[in-house]
Amino acid sequence: MALMPVADALAAVVSGVEPLPEETVTLDDAYHRVLARDVVALRTQPPAAMSAMDGYAVRAADAASVPARLTVTGEIAAGRPFAGQLGPGEALRIFTGGVVPDGADAIVIQEDTARDGDTVTVQEAAVAGRHIRPAGVDFREGDVLLRAGTRLTDRALSLAASMNHTALPVRRRPKVALVATGDELVMPGGQPGPGQIVYSNGYALRALVRAEGADVLDLGVVGDTMEATRAAIRQARDSGADVLVTTGGASVGDHDVVKRALDAEGVDIAFWKIALRPGKPMMHGRLGGMRLLGLPGNPVSSYVCGFLFVVPLLRALAGRSELHTPLEPAVLGSDLPANDQRQDYLRARLELRADGPPVATAVRQQDSSLLGHLAAAGALIVRPPFAQAAPAGSACVILKLPL
């Protein structure tokens, strides 16, 4: 089977994906959920003109020439509007958030006045509209302020509350089943035997999946047998998982049973093997309504493929408007050799600069088993197939890794 270009594989993974059904959740439960529909303001904010400062509400014409002596006829605090109207030669003591009374068209800040009993002397000329927040300056009833496909941040939740919403329509969380294969894997804290290694892939993948707002069903590590692998696939399907992510067993060796197990269970494999480094032996397919991503077993390959392919799939299922991590400009911190037919994703350290794009320096050892370099990396340098050799200082593009 020919190696599929990375761009084609990315397109295939999200092709035809429909967002998951809608559900309504409270604001407290909506953090990092994805809006299913546009959300409109249920009120105008502010509902009336309000003072932006502590001071005095005045008619600008009465305090255009200074000093100006005005009679203080009352006080306005936030939540306690003045019932009457401001007349000529009058001023009203007002505090931040207080409703600007009828007749007033300016606020003179407290620091520009001198108070003597019921008289205030304005020492800085008033300007009409100054220090007044007009009604609706933030938003008006009926305005669409949060769009479908938006992932709700802490600021968005504050806005929704200000819009007078108590609950929001969001997409159901994707459910992801994780299965690792490999007789050589031992859980952390165990004692590896001869030829065994400590299992690590699942910890990164679970964190990556949860950071995208998905629920995780971890089916653990299964041995390199058809029976165990097929049983795990069926368990994921029967659990109602939207996505099954397998790690390991995706290559062509006699003990790599994942593809054979998937074929035996009726999974429709869309592709297997990508022109990608690290991560060439990656699979994508479907079993009914469950999508499958078969990731390589090497830890770096597993993570990079999860970052490149699992994340966009989860975002598509959640209905997000932006699926892929954007490419960003950078400058190479070291020479790079010419590339072959595979698209490279090189682990790199980032050095931020105040006067330009960051410097991305590829780590010297790019072996897909080296987790120390992956953990220290801040980005992936993306190099297209057959890229020419590039000296230090050359422009490049990077994908920043999650913090």
Side-chain angles (χ1 to χ4, degrees), residues 319-389:
R320 285 184 65 173
S321 52
E322 298 293 333
L323 303 185
H324 302 287
T325 303
L327 291 167
E328 299 184 39
V331 174
L332 290 177
S334 58
D335 298 344
L336 292 180
N339 195 16
D340 61 13
Q341 75 274 17
R342 287 197 275 170
Q343 185 153 305
D344 261 349
Y345 291 82
L346 304 173
R347 279 75 74 204
R349 291 180 172 86
L350 279 186
E351 177 188 347
L352 300 181
R353 300 186 301 173
D355 59 348
V359 176
T361 303
V363 301
R364 291 184 179 180
Q365 295 177 300
Q366 293 286 330
D367 188 281
S368 59
S369 67
L370 303 181
L371 274 175
H373 288 316
L374 177 65
L380 301 173
I381 299 172
V382 183
R383 303 200 75 216
F386 304 109
Q388 296 181 351

Side-chain angles (χ1 to χ4, degrees), residues 242-317:
D242 302 296
V243 181
L244 168 61
V245 177
T246 66
T247 60
S251 294
V252 295
D254 292 342
H255 299 284
D256 294 314
V257 300
V258 171
K259 185 176 185 303
R260 287 185 284 133
L262 293 169
D263 289 337
E265 288 299 319
V267 175
D268 180 19
I269 301 294
F271 64 75
W272 175 41
K273 297 184 181 180
I274 306 173
L276 165 69
R277 184 176 28 246
K280 170 186 168 185
M282 202 196 85
M283 295 178 288
H284 167 57
R286 290 191 65 170
L287 179 59
M290 182 176 71
R291 286 171 165 78
L292 161 91
L293 286 170
L295 312 186
N298 275 323
V300 176
S301 301
S302 171
Y303 180 82
V304 170
C305 287
F307 178 60
L308 293 178
F309 295 96
V310 177
V311 167
L313 175 56
L314 295 179
R315 291 178 179 178
L317 287 168

